[in-house]
Amino acid sequence: MSISWKAPKVIELLGQRVNRHVASSLLACVHCGMCTESCHYVLTNPDDPTYAPAYKADILRKLFKRYYDWTGRVLPFWVGAKSVFSDEELEEIKDTVFGKCTNCRRCSLNCPMGVDFATANRLARGLLVSVGIMPEGVAVVSKDQWEIGNQMGVLKEDYIETLEWLSDELEAEMKDKDARIPIDKEDCEVVYAINPREVKYDPRTISDAAKIFYVARENWTMPSEGWDMTNFGLFSGDDELGGAVVRRLFE
Amino acid sequence: MSPLLHFVEHPLQEFALVFMGVVYVTRLLWFFRRFKKTSELQPPTGSRNTGRALGVVYSLGIIALPWHMESYRKKPWMYAQFAFFHLGVAGCITLSFLIPYAPETLKNASVVRLIQALCAIAGIIGVYRFLRRVIDKTMRAISSPDDYFSVVLLSAWLFLGAIVAPNTKDLHDILVAYFIVTAFFLVYVPFSKISHYLYYPIARFYLGRTMGHRGVFPIPSHWPTVGEANR
Protein backbone atom coordinates (compact mmCIF):
# COMPACT_ATOMS: atom_id res chain seq x y z
CA MET A 1 0.00 0.00 0.00
CA SER A 2 1.59 3.26 -1.12
CA ILE A 3 1.05 6.67 0.44
CA SER A 4 -0.97 8.82 -1.93
CA TRP A 5 -0.44 12.50 -2.67
CA LYS A 6 -4.09 12.68 -3.65
CA ALA A 7 -5.43 11.68 -0.23
CA PRO A 8 -4.40 14.89 1.61
CA LYS A 9 -5.93 16.90 -1.24
CA VAL A 10 -9.23 15.04 -0.92
CA ILE A 11 -9.25 15.80 2.83
CA GLU A 12 -8.43 19.46 2.22
CA LEU A 13 -11.15 19.82 -0.44
CA LEU A 14 -13.68 18.14 1.84
CA GLY A 15 -13.13 20.90 4.38
CA GLN A 16 -13.62 23.54 1.71
CA ARG A 17 -16.67 22.08 0.01
CA VAL A 18 -18.79 20.66 2.79
CA ASN A 19 -21.73 22.97 3.42
CA ARG A 20 -24.36 23.11 6.16
CA HIS A 21 -26.66 20.76 4.30
CA VAL A 22 -24.04 18.01 4.04
CA ALA A 23 -22.48 18.72 7.43
CA SER A 24 -25.85 18.40 9.19
CA SER A 25 -26.46 15.12 7.38
CA LEU A 26 -23.06 13.79 8.40
CA LEU A 27 -23.62 14.84 12.02
CA ALA A 28 -27.24 13.72 12.37
CA CYS A 29 -27.00 10.08 11.28
CA VAL A 30 -27.63 7.74 14.26
CA HIS A 31 -26.89 4.53 12.35
CA CYS A 32 -30.45 3.28 12.90
CA GLY A 33 -30.33 1.26 9.68
CA MET A 34 -33.77 2.31 8.43
CA CYS A 35 -32.23 3.50 5.16
CA THR A 36 -31.51 -0.10 4.21
CA GLU A 37 -35.25 -0.73 3.88
CA SER A 38 -35.54 1.52 0.86
CA CYS A 39 -32.28 1.06 -1.09
CA HIS A 40 -32.67 -0.98 -4.27
CA TYR A 41 -28.99 -1.98 -4.08
CA VAL A 42 -29.63 -3.48 -0.63
CA LEU A 43 -32.76 -5.24 -1.85
CA THR A 44 -30.67 -6.80 -4.62
CA ASN A 45 -27.72 -7.62 -2.33
CA PRO A 46 -29.35 -8.31 1.05
CA ASP A 47 -26.35 -10.17 2.47
CA ASP A 48 -23.77 -7.50 1.73
CA PRO A 49 -23.78 -4.71 4.35
CA THR A 50 -21.46 -2.56 2.24
CA TYR A 51 -24.49 -1.61 0.12
CA ALA A 52 -26.34 -0.07 3.09
CA PRO A 53 -26.74 3.69 2.52
CA ALA A 54 -25.46 4.45 6.04
CA TYR A 55 -22.37 2.32 5.35
CA LYS A 56 -21.74 4.13 2.07
CA ALA A 57 -22.26 7.54 3.66
CA ASP A 58 -19.89 6.54 6.47
CA ILE A 59 -17.04 6.60 3.97
CA LEU A 60 -17.34 10.37 3.85
CA ARG A 61 -18.51 10.65 7.46
CA LYS A 62 -15.37 8.87 8.78
CA LEU A 63 -13.17 11.41 7.00
CA PHE A 64 -15.33 14.31 8.10
CA LYS A 65 -15.28 13.20 11.73
CA ARG A 66 -11.54 12.55 11.71
CA TYR A 67 -10.64 16.03 10.51
CA TYR A 68 -13.57 18.37 11.05
CA ASP A 69 -15.56 17.11 14.05
CA TRP A 70 -14.49 17.50 17.69
CA THR A 71 -14.97 14.00 19.01
CA GLY A 72 -13.47 12.37 15.95
CA ARG A 73 -10.30 14.45 16.27
CA VAL A 74 -9.82 13.54 19.94
CA LEU A 75 -11.20 9.98 20.02
CA PRO A 76 -11.38 8.76 16.41
CA PHE A 77 -11.79 5.11 17.38
CA TRP A 78 -14.79 5.84 19.57
CA VAL A 79 -16.92 7.43 16.84
CA GLY A 80 -15.56 5.45 13.89
CA ALA A 81 -13.52 8.34 12.49
CA LYS A 82 -10.85 7.28 10.02
CA SER A 83 -8.43 8.84 7.58
CA VAL A 84 -7.44 7.79 4.07
CA PHE A 85 -3.84 7.33 3.04
CA SER A 86 -3.37 5.36 -0.16
CA ASP A 87 -4.47 5.30 -3.78
CA GLU A 88 -5.91 1.83 -3.17
CA GLU A 89 -8.20 3.23 -0.48
CA LEU A 90 -9.28 6.04 -2.78
CA GLU A 91 -10.04 3.45 -5.49
CA GLU A 92 -12.22 1.56 -3.01
CA ILE A 93 -14.09 4.76 -2.24
CA LYS A 94 -14.52 5.33 -5.98
CA ASP A 95 -16.04 1.88 -6.44
CA THR A 96 -18.56 2.62 -3.71
CA VAL A 97 -19.61 6.18 -4.52
CA PHE A 98 -19.83 5.59 -8.28
CA GLY A 99 -20.73 1.90 -8.35
CA LYS A 100 -22.97 1.26 -5.36
CA CYS A 101 -25.26 4.30 -5.37
CA THR A 102 -27.30 6.01 -8.08
CA ASN A 103 -28.02 9.11 -5.96
CA CYS A 104 -31.72 8.35 -6.36
CA ARG A 105 -32.43 9.81 -2.88
CA ARG A 106 -34.92 7.11 -1.98
CA CYS A 107 -33.01 6.49 1.27
CA SER A 108 -33.03 10.22 2.04
CA LEU A 109 -36.82 10.33 1.70
CA ASN A 110 -37.11 7.41 4.08
CA CYS A 111 -34.56 8.49 6.68
CA PRO A 112 -36.22 9.45 9.98
CA MET A 113 -33.42 11.95 10.62
CA GLY A 114 -33.56 13.60 7.20
CA VAL A 115 -30.02 12.59 6.33
CA ASP A 116 -29.41 13.43 2.67
CA PHE A 117 -27.16 10.55 1.63
CA ALA A 118 -27.35 11.43 -2.07
CA THR A 119 -25.93 14.91 -1.61
CA ALA A 120 -23.11 13.52 0.51
CA ASN A 121 -22.42 10.84 -2.11
CA ARG A 122 -22.29 13.41 -4.89
CA LEU A 123 -19.88 15.51 -2.84
CA ALA A 124 -17.66 12.43 -2.43
CA ARG A 125 -17.72 11.85 -6.19
CA GLY A 126 -16.72 15.46 -6.81
CA LEU A 127 -13.80 15.20 -4.37
CA LEU A 128 -12.45 12.17 -6.22
CA VAL A 129 -12.95 13.74 -9.64
CA SER A 130 -10.96 16.76 -8.44
CA VAL A 131 -7.90 14.52 -8.01
CA GLY A 132 -8.52 12.60 -11.22
CA ILE A 133 -10.13 9.51 -9.72
CA MET A 134 -13.28 8.33 -11.48
CA PRO A 135 -14.47 5.33 -13.51
CA GLU A 136 -12.77 5.18 -16.90
CA GLY A 137 -16.05 5.53 -18.77
CA VAL A 138 -16.93 8.68 -16.85
CA ALA A 139 -13.47 10.12 -17.52
CA VAL A 140 -13.80 9.54 -21.28
CA VAL A 141 -17.24 11.10 -21.66
CA SER A 142 -16.36 14.00 -19.35
CA LYS A 143 -13.29 14.74 -21.49
CA ASP A 144 -15.43 14.70 -24.63
CA GLN A 145 -17.97 17.03 -23.06
CA TRP A 146 -15.20 19.45 -22.15
CA GLU A 147 -13.30 19.28 -25.44
CA ILE A 148 -15.86 18.54 -28.14
CA GLY A 149 -19.06 19.64 -26.47
CA ASN A 150 -20.89 16.36 -26.28
CA GLN A 151 -20.33 13.14 -24.39
CA MET A 152 -20.00 10.91 -27.50
CA GLY A 153 -17.37 13.10 -29.17
CA VAL A 154 -19.55 13.70 -32.26
CA LEU A 155 -17.99 16.37 -34.46
CA LYS A 156 -20.12 19.34 -35.53
CA GLU A 157 -19.90 18.51 -39.25
CA ASP A 158 -21.01 14.92 -38.61
CA TYR A 159 -23.93 16.12 -36.49
CA ILE A 160 -25.08 18.65 -39.10
CA GLU A 161 -24.65 16.11 -41.91
CA THR A 162 -26.77 13.59 -39.99
CA LEU A 163 -29.53 16.17 -39.48
CA GLU A 164 -29.37 17.01 -43.20
CA TRP A 165 -29.93 13.46 -44.41
CA LEU A 166 -32.58 12.92 -41.75
CA SER A 167 -34.30 16.03 -43.14
CA ASP A 168 -34.07 14.65 -46.68
CA GLU A 169 -35.70 11.40 -45.56
CA LEU A 170 -38.39 13.24 -43.63
CA GLU A 171 -39.14 15.47 -46.61
CA ALA A 172 -39.49 12.43 -48.87
CA GLU A 173 -41.66 10.54 -46.42
CA MET A 174 -43.99 13.45 -45.73
CA LYS A 175 -43.95 14.57 -49.38
CA ASP A 176 -43.56 18.15 -48.15
CA LYS A 177 -40.50 20.30 -48.77
CA ASP A 178 -41.17 22.12 -45.48
CA ALA A 179 -40.87 18.89 -43.53
CA ARG A 180 -37.28 19.45 -42.46
CA ILE A 181 -35.33 19.68 -39.22
CA PRO A 182 -34.74 23.38 -38.58
CA ILE A 183 -31.25 24.25 -37.32
CA ASP A 184 -30.60 27.43 -35.32
CA LYS A 185 -33.99 28.88 -36.26
CA GLU A 186 -34.73 31.96 -34.19
CA ASP A 187 -37.83 32.80 -32.11
CA CYS A 188 -38.85 29.18 -31.62
CA GLU A 189 -41.07 27.76 -28.92
CA VAL A 190 -39.02 24.57 -28.55
CA VAL A 191 -35.26 23.99 -28.68
CA TYR A 192 -34.81 20.25 -29.07
CA ALA A 193 -31.59 18.92 -27.48
CA ILE A 194 -30.75 15.23 -27.49
CA ASN A 195 -28.68 12.48 -25.99
CA PRO A 196 -25.62 12.23 -28.27
CA ARG A 197 -26.05 8.48 -28.46
CA GLU A 198 -29.05 9.19 -30.68
CA VAL A 199 -27.07 10.93 -33.37
CA LYS A 200 -24.23 8.45 -33.13
CA TYR A 201 -26.03 5.11 -32.83
CA ASP A 202 -29.73 5.49 -33.64
CA PRO A 203 -30.71 8.70 -35.46
CA ARG A 204 -34.21 7.30 -36.13
CA THR A 205 -35.24 8.64 -32.73
CA ILE A 206 -34.45 12.14 -33.96
CA SER A 207 -36.51 11.70 -37.13
CA ASP A 208 -39.35 10.24 -35.06
CA ALA A 209 -39.32 13.34 -32.87
CA ALA A 210 -39.14 15.53 -35.98
CA LYS A 211 -42.25 13.81 -37.36
CA ILE A 212 -44.13 14.56 -34.16
CA PHE A 213 -43.06 18.21 -34.25
CA TYR A 214 -44.06 18.41 -37.94
CA VAL A 215 -47.48 16.85 -37.43
CA ALA A 216 -48.08 19.03 -34.34
CA ARG A 217 -47.01 22.10 -36.39
CA GLU A 218 -44.64 23.04 -33.58
CA ASN A 219 -42.33 26.02 -33.94
CA TRP A 220 -39.09 24.21 -33.07
CA THR A 221 -35.41 23.96 -33.84
CA MET A 222 -32.27 22.01 -33.08
CA PRO A 223 -29.15 23.96 -32.14
CA SER A 224 -25.92 23.56 -34.09
CA GLU A 225 -23.98 23.99 -30.83
CA GLY A 226 -24.87 22.95 -27.28
CA TRP A 227 -27.22 20.18 -28.36
CA ASP A 228 -26.09 17.61 -25.75
CA MET A 229 -28.79 17.38 -23.09
CA THR A 230 -26.84 14.91 -20.94
CA ASN A 231 -24.60 16.24 -18.20
CA PHE A 232 -21.82 14.15 -16.77
CA GLY A 233 -20.72 17.01 -14.53
CA LEU A 234 -23.97 16.65 -12.58
CA PHE A 235 -23.42 12.90 -12.42
CA SER A 236 -19.81 12.97 -11.34
CA GLY A 237 -20.02 15.88 -8.90
CA ASP A 238 -17.83 18.03 -11.16
CA ASP A 239 -19.64 21.37 -10.80
CA GLU A 240 -17.32 23.11 -13.27
CA LEU A 241 -18.21 20.70 -16.05
CA GLY A 242 -21.87 20.63 -15.00
CA GLY A 243 -22.05 24.42 -15.21
CA ALA A 244 -20.21 24.52 -18.55
CA VAL A 245 -22.56 21.99 -20.16
CA VAL A 246 -25.68 23.78 -18.92
CA ARG A 247 -24.32 27.17 -20.02
CA ARG A 248 -23.52 25.80 -23.49
CA LEU A 249 -27.03 24.39 -23.83
CA PHE A 250 -28.66 27.58 -22.52
CA GLU A 251 -26.67 29.96 -24.71
CA MET B 1 -31.80 13.92 52.52
CA SER B 2 -28.17 12.88 52.87
CA PRO B 3 -25.44 15.35 51.88
CA LEU B 4 -24.36 12.93 49.13
CA LEU B 5 -27.83 12.74 47.64
CA HIS B 6 -28.18 16.52 47.88
CA PHE B 7 -24.86 16.93 46.11
CA VAL B 8 -25.73 14.63 43.20
CA GLU B 9 -29.27 16.04 42.89
CA HIS B 10 -28.30 19.70 42.93
CA PRO B 11 -24.71 21.00 42.50
CA LEU B 12 -23.67 18.07 40.31
CA GLN B 13 -26.78 18.22 38.09
CA GLU B 14 -26.64 21.99 37.81
CA PHE B 15 -22.97 21.95 36.85
CA ALA B 16 -23.62 19.20 34.29
CA LEU B 17 -26.60 21.09 32.84
CA VAL B 18 -24.59 24.31 32.47
CA PHE B 19 -21.73 22.35 30.93
CA MET B 20 -24.07 20.73 28.40
CA GLY B 21 -25.66 24.08 27.56
CA VAL B 22 -22.28 25.72 27.00
CA VAL B 23 -21.07 22.87 24.79
CA TYR B 24 -24.29 22.91 22.76
CA VAL B 25 -24.14 26.65 22.18
CA THR B 26 -20.48 26.31 21.20
CA ARG B 27 -21.31 23.45 18.83
CA LEU B 28 -24.04 25.46 17.13
CA LEU B 29 -21.74 28.47 16.78
CA TRP B 30 -19.05 26.18 15.36
CA PHE B 31 -21.54 24.66 12.93
CA PHE B 32 -22.87 27.92 11.53
CA ARG B 33 -19.47 29.62 11.41
CA ARG B 34 -17.45 26.69 10.10
CA PHE B 35 -19.69 25.53 7.27
CA LYS B 36 -20.78 27.63 4.34
CA LYS B 37 -24.38 28.34 3.38
CA THR B 38 -26.18 25.97 1.08
CA SER B 39 -27.31 27.24 -2.31
CA GLU B 40 -29.43 25.64 -5.00
CA LEU B 41 -27.95 25.13 -8.47
CA GLN B 42 -31.28 24.95 -10.31
CA PRO B 43 -34.37 27.17 -10.51
CA PRO B 44 -37.41 26.09 -8.49
CA THR B 45 -39.57 23.43 -10.09
CA GLY B 46 -42.78 21.57 -9.33
CA SER B 47 -46.40 22.32 -8.68
CA ARG B 48 -47.80 25.24 -6.71
CA ASN B 49 -48.37 22.84 -3.83
CA THR B 50 -44.63 22.49 -3.31
CA GLY B 51 -41.90 24.97 -2.47
CA ARG B 52 -39.11 25.73 -0.02
CA ALA B 53 -41.24 26.83 2.95
CA LEU B 54 -43.81 24.07 2.50
CA GLY B 55 -40.98 21.58 2.05
CA VAL B 56 -39.38 22.60 5.34
CA VAL B 57 -42.68 22.34 7.22
CA TYR B 58 -43.38 18.95 5.68
CA SER B 59 -39.86 17.70 6.38
CA LEU B 60 -40.01 18.73 10.03
CA GLY B 61 -43.50 17.31 10.45
CA ILE B 62 -42.98 14.01 8.62
CA ILE B 63 -41.98 12.33 11.87
CA ALA B 64 -45.66 12.50 12.79
CA LEU B 65 -46.62 11.04 9.38
CA PRO B 66 -44.97 7.60 9.45
CA TRP B 67 -47.14 6.35 6.58
CA HIS B 68 -45.30 8.85 4.35
CA MET B 69 -42.04 6.95 4.86
CA GLU B 70 -41.61 3.64 3.08
CA SER B 71 -39.27 2.42 5.80
CA TYR B 72 -42.00 2.77 8.45
CA ARG B 73 -44.79 1.58 6.16
CA LYS B 74 -42.90 -1.67 5.74
CA LYS B 75 -42.06 -2.01 9.44
CA PRO B 76 -44.60 -0.15 11.60
CA TRP B 77 -43.08 -1.89 14.63
CA MET B 78 -39.93 0.16 14.11
CA TYR B 79 -41.95 3.36 14.32
CA ALA B 80 -43.75 2.16 17.45
CA GLN B 81 -40.47 1.33 19.18
CA PHE B 82 -38.99 4.66 18.06
CA ALA B 83 -41.98 6.53 19.52
CA PHE B 84 -42.05 4.64 22.83
CA PHE B 85 -38.28 4.81 23.21
CA HIS B 86 -38.26 8.58 22.90
CA LEU B 87 -41.34 8.96 25.12
CA GLY B 88 -39.46 6.97 27.75
CA VAL B 89 -36.40 9.19 27.40
CA ALA B 90 -38.61 12.26 27.74
CA GLY B 91 -40.19 10.70 30.85
CA CYS B 92 -36.80 9.95 32.37
CA ILE B 93 -35.53 13.47 31.68
CA THR B 94 -38.68 14.89 33.27
CA LEU B 95 -38.10 12.64 36.29
CA SER B 96 -34.59 14.04 36.72
CA PHE B 97 -36.17 17.49 37.19
CA LEU B 98 -39.20 16.39 39.22
CA ILE B 99 -37.17 14.66 41.94
CA PRO B 100 -34.99 17.65 42.88
CA TYR B 101 -37.35 20.52 42.04
CA ALA B 102 -40.95 19.20 42.36
CA PRO B 103 -40.84 16.05 44.51
CA GLU B 104 -44.44 16.53 45.64
CA THR B 105 -45.54 15.64 42.09
CA LEU B 106 -44.28 12.12 42.70
CA LYS B 107 -46.67 11.64 45.62
CA ASN B 108 -49.32 11.07 42.97
CA ALA B 109 -49.24 7.33 42.29
CA SER B 110 -50.58 7.75 38.75
CA VAL B 111 -47.70 10.03 37.78
CA VAL B 112 -45.19 7.58 39.25
CA ARG B 113 -46.76 4.61 37.47
CA LEU B 114 -46.83 6.50 34.16
CA ILE B 115 -43.16 7.45 34.39
CA GLN B 116 -42.21 3.94 35.49
CA ALA B 117 -44.11 2.40 32.59
CA LEU B 118 -42.57 4.76 30.04
CA CYS B 119 -39.05 4.22 31.38
CA ALA B 120 -39.42 0.43 31.63
CA ILE B 121 -40.84 0.07 28.11
CA ALA B 122 -38.11 2.33 26.72
CA GLY B 123 -35.47 0.36 28.63
CA ILE B 124 -36.70 -2.90 27.13
CA ILE B 125 -36.66 -1.29 23.68
CA GLY B 126 -33.11 -0.13 24.42
CA VAL B 127 -32.10 -3.74 25.07
CA TYR B 128 -33.77 -4.76 21.80
CA ARG B 129 -31.89 -1.99 19.98
CA PHE B 130 -28.60 -3.16 21.45
CA LEU B 131 -29.26 -6.78 20.48
CA ARG B 132 -30.30 -5.73 16.98
CA ARG B 133 -27.06 -3.80 16.63
CA VAL B 134 -25.05 -6.82 17.78
CA ILE B 135 -26.90 -9.54 15.87
CA ASP B 136 -27.74 -7.87 12.55
CA LYS B 137 -24.81 -7.99 10.12
CA THR B 138 -25.63 -4.65 8.51
CA MET B 139 -26.12 -2.95 11.87
CA ARG B 140 -22.75 -4.27 13.04
CA ALA B 141 -21.09 -2.94 9.89
CA ILE B 142 -22.38 0.59 10.46
CA SER B 143 -21.89 0.73 14.24
CA SER B 144 -19.10 2.45 16.15
CA PRO B 145 -18.23 1.90 19.84
CA ASP B 146 -20.18 5.07 20.61
CA ASP B 147 -23.32 3.51 19.08
CA TYR B 148 -23.12 0.49 21.40
CA PHE B 149 -22.10 2.45 24.49
CA SER B 150 -24.85 5.06 24.05
CA VAL B 151 -27.67 2.53 23.83
CA VAL B 152 -26.33 0.47 26.76
CA LEU B 153 -25.93 3.53 28.95
CA LEU B 154 -29.32 4.89 27.96
CA SER B 155 -31.03 1.58 28.69
CA ALA B 156 -29.38 1.35 32.13
CA TRP B 157 -30.42 4.92 32.87
CA LEU B 158 -34.02 4.21 31.82
CA PHE B 159 -34.22 1.14 34.08
CA LEU B 160 -32.78 3.19 36.94
CA GLY B 161 -35.45 5.81 36.23
CA ALA B 162 -38.18 3.17 36.42
CA ILE B 163 -36.86 2.08 39.82
CA VAL B 164 -36.34 5.51 41.42
CA ALA B 165 -39.57 7.13 40.21
CA PRO B 166 -41.35 6.65 43.62
CA ASN B 167 -38.52 8.77 45.17
CA THR B 168 -38.73 7.08 48.59
CA LYS B 169 -36.04 7.06 51.31
CA ASP B 170 -35.27 3.39 50.89
CA LEU B 171 -34.12 4.12 47.34
CA HIS B 172 -31.26 6.34 48.54
CA ASP B 173 -28.39 4.42 46.96
CA ILE B 174 -30.18 3.87 43.66
CA LEU B 175 -31.14 7.57 43.56
CA VAL B 176 -27.48 8.46 43.97
CA ALA B 177 -26.59 6.11 41.12
CA TYR B 178 -29.40 7.53 38.95
CA PHE B 179 -28.23 11.11 39.40
CA ILE B 180 -24.57 10.23 38.85
CA VAL B 181 -25.53 8.52 35.57
CA THR B 182 -27.73 11.52 34.67
CA ALA B 183 -24.84 13.93 35.28
CA PHE B 184 -22.52 11.73 33.25
CA PHE B 185 -25.08 11.77 30.45
CA LEU B 186 -25.35 15.52 30.46
CA VAL B 187 -21.59 15.82 30.09
CA TYR B 188 -21.18 12.95 27.61
CA VAL B 189 -24.18 13.58 25.33
CA PRO B 190 -22.83 16.62 23.42
CA PHE B 191 -19.87 14.52 22.27
CA SER B 192 -21.81 11.40 21.35
CA LYS B 193 -24.39 10.29 18.81
CA ILE B 194 -27.07 11.10 21.37
CA SER B 195 -26.62 14.74 20.39
CA HIS B 196 -28.39 13.86 17.13
CA TYR B 197 -31.41 15.82 18.33
CA LEU B 198 -29.33 18.98 18.08
CA TYR B 199 -28.70 18.38 14.37
CA TYR B 200 -32.01 16.71 13.59
CA PRO B 201 -33.96 19.93 12.93
CA ILE B 202 -31.06 21.34 10.91
CA ALA B 203 -30.76 18.24 8.70
CA ARG B 204 -34.55 18.12 8.28
CA PHE B 205 -34.63 21.85 7.44
CA TYR B 206 -32.08 21.51 4.65
CA LEU B 207 -33.59 18.34 3.21
CA GLY B 208 -37.05 19.93 3.26
CA ARG B 209 -35.81 23.13 1.68
CA THR B 210 -34.00 21.43 -1.16
CA MET B 211 -36.76 18.90 -1.83
CA GLY B 212 -39.37 21.64 -1.70
CA HIS B 213 -37.29 23.72 -4.10
CA ARG B 214 -37.25 20.77 -6.49
CA GLY B 215 -40.99 20.23 -6.26
CA VAL B 216 -40.85 16.97 -4.34
CA PHE B 217 -41.90 18.07 -0.82
CA PRO B 218 -44.60 18.03 0.40
CA ILE B 219 -45.24 14.60 -1.08
CA PRO B 220 -48.89 14.81 -2.18
CA SER B 221 -51.62 12.36 -1.36
CA HIS B 222 -51.92 11.95 -5.14
CA TRP B 223 -49.25 12.71 -7.73
CA PRO B 224 -50.02 15.82 -9.80
CA THR B 225 -50.96 15.49 -13.45
CA VAL B 226 -48.73 16.99 -16.14
CA GLY B 227 -50.98 20.03 -16.29
CA GLU B 228 -50.82 20.60 -12.56
CA ALA B 229 -47.07 20.12 -12.46
CA ASN B 230 -46.44 22.79 -15.09
CA ARG B 231 -46.46 26.14 -13.38
Side-chain angles (χ1 to χ4, degrees):
Chain A
M1 194 168 73
S2 56
I3 298 295
S4 169
W5 66 266
K6 295 173 181 175
K9 191 67 187 170
V10 166
I11 293 161
E12 180 193 333
L13 288 172
L14 171 63
Q16 292 170 11
R17 291 185 188 175
V18 70
N19 58 24
R20 291 174 189 167
H21 184 171
V22 176
S24 61
S25 284
L26 296 175
L27 290 163
C29 179
V30 289
H31 295 141
C32 69
M34 293 306 289
C35 49
T36 57
E37 301 296 324
S38 52
C39 176
H40 50 270
Y41 277 103
V42 176
L43 296 175
T44 316
N45 305 278
D47 296 324
D48 187 348
T50 66
Y51 284 97
Y55 185 92
K56 292 178 273 191
D58 263 2
I59 290 172
L60 193 64
R61 185 178 297 108
K62 283 168 194 259
L63 270 182
F64 174 82
K65 290 216 167 207
R66 181 69 187 86
Y67 291 97
Y68 302 106
D69 185 44
W70 304 1
T71 325
R73 290 166 87 163
V74 179
L75 290 169
F77 159 76
W78 192 246
V79 292
K82 199 179 162 193
S83 189
V84 61
F85 301 101
S86 68
D87 285 336
E88 289 82 357
E89 287 173 316
L90 290 175
E91 285 292 322
E92 276 181 37
I93 295 175
K94 178 201 79 179
D95 289 343
T96 297
V97 299
F98 280 100
K100 292 185 176 179
C101 177
T102 59
N103 283 2
C104 73
R105 259 195 178 134
R106 195 168 158 184
C107 55
S108 308
L109 295 182
N110 288 288
C111 171
M113 296 300 297
V115 172
D116 194 348
F117 295 98
T119 302
N121 195 65
R122 185 174 181 276
L123 175 71
R125 286 182 183 179
L127 295 175
L128 295 179
V129 168
S130 296
V131 294
I133 297 174
M134 65 194 103
E136 192 181 344
V138 176
V140 170
V141 293
S142 296
K143 185 168 179 284
D144 281 342
Q145 279 201 321
W146 270 123
E147 294 179 353
I148 301 172
N150 64 84
Q151 54 135 311
M152 298 304 294
V154 177
L155 298 174
K156 184 177 179 180
E157 49 269 33
D158 293 336
Y159 166 74
I160 298 291
E161 189 185 323
T162 303
L163 294 188
E164 288 296 336
W165 67 254
L166 285 173
S167 285
D168 293 343
E169 286 189 356
L170 185 67
E171 188 181 322
E173 189 179 342
M174 296 295 160
K175 298 183 177 66
D176 181 352
K177 63 181 174 47
D178 291 332
R180 298 191 66 80
I181 298 173
I183 301 171
D184 291 338
K185 184 181 165 189
E186 293 190 356
D187 299 325
C188 290
E189 295 292 322
V190 177
V191 176
Y192 187 57
I194 56 171
N195 185 324
R197 296 185 74 84
E198 296 179 69
V199 75
K200 186 155 185 170
Y201 294 120
D202 195 357
R204 287 173 303 178
T205 56
I206 303 172
S207 54
D208 289 345
K211 268 184 226 168
I212 293 169
F213 285 130
Y214 170 76
V215 172
R217 300 186 183 284
E218 190 58 74
N219 183 16
W220 72 294
T221 189
M222 290 187 74
S224 60
E225 299 275 0
W227 49 270
D228 181 357
M229 49 74 75
T230 66
N231 192 323
F232 269 83
L234 294 182
F235 173 78
S236 67
D238 182 349
D239 286 343
E240 289 295 322
L241 174 60
V245 171
V246 169
R247 198 172 301 115
R248 201 180 292 148
L249 183 61
F250 179 75
E251 289 173 354
Chain B
M1 182 187 288
S2 73
L4 176 62
L5 186 56
H6 179 268
F7 172 76
V8 295
E9 274 191 21
H10 287 280
L12 185 64
Q13 294 308 304
E14 284 143 20
F15 167 78
L17 271 171
V18 170
F19 179 83
M20 186 180 78
V22 169
V23 176
Y24 272 159
V25 170
T26 312
R27 289 215 89 161
L28 286 174
L29 287 174
W30 163 77
F31 180 85
F32 286 106
R33 285 181 180 170
R34 172 63 184 81
F35 302 110
K36 59 186 178 184
K37 287 181 182 174
T38 304
S39 57
E40 295 292 343
L41 295 173
Q42 65 173 64
T45 52
S47 75
R48 278 186 290 272
N49 299 326
T50 63
R52 283 182 169 212
L54 284 171
V56 169
V57 172
Y58 176 79
S59 179
L60 288 166
I62 199 171
I63 204 66
L65 308 168
W67 55 92
H68 274 235
M69 278 191 274
E70 183 186 18
S71 44
Y72 285 142
R73 274 202 308 275
K74 281 184 181 173
K75 292 189 176 176
W77 148 246
M78 293 303 286
Y79 184 79
Q81 62 96 359
F82 153 81
F84 277 106
F85 185 72
H86 285 85
L87 281 173
V89 170
C92 210
I93 291 171
T94 306
L95 182 67
S96 72
F97 285 95
L98 289 180
I99 292 174
Y101 303 112
E104 66 281 0
T105 317
L106 297 169
K107 286 177 181 164
N108 184 327
S110 302
V111 174
V112 171
R113 294 283 174 268
L114 176 66
I115 292 175
Q116 282 184 311
L118 287 174
C119 289
I121 292 169
I124 292 165
I125 293 169
V127 172
Y128 160 76
R129 287 182 162 201
F130 174 75
L131 292 175
R132 177 172 172 255
R133 205 170 274 286
V134 171
I135 294 166
D136 187 290
K137 191 163 58 174
T138 301
M139 292 302 293
R140 268 202 314 275
I142 61 176
S143 296
S144 66
D146 178 39
D147 293 320
Y148 295 107
F149 180 71
S150 295
V151 75
V152 168
L153 197 63
L154 206 50
S155 303
W157 181 64
L158 286 162
F159 284 128
L160 279 174
I163 295 168
V164 302
N167 192 28
T168 51
K169 283 183 181 174
D170 57 318
L171 294 169
H172 176 273
D173 293 350
I174 306 175
L175 274 165
V176 170
Y178 170 74
F179 277 105
I180 288 174
V181 174
T182 307
F184 177 76
F185 251 123
L186 292 172
V187 173
Y188 177 70
V189 159
F191 303 101
S192 81
K193 67 170 274 186
I194 305 171
S195 63
H196 62 275
Y197 58 81
L198 186 69
Y199 303 108
Y200 166 78
I202 303 173
R204 277 256 154 241
F205 170 84
Y206 284 113
L207 181 69
R209 198 176 69 162
T210 195
M211 298 308 273
H213 182 80
R214 292 166 182 230
V216 179
F217 278 3
I219 293 174
S221 51
H222 77 283
W223 289 102
T225 63
V226 174
E228 287 171 340
N230 289 331
R231 278 184 168 159

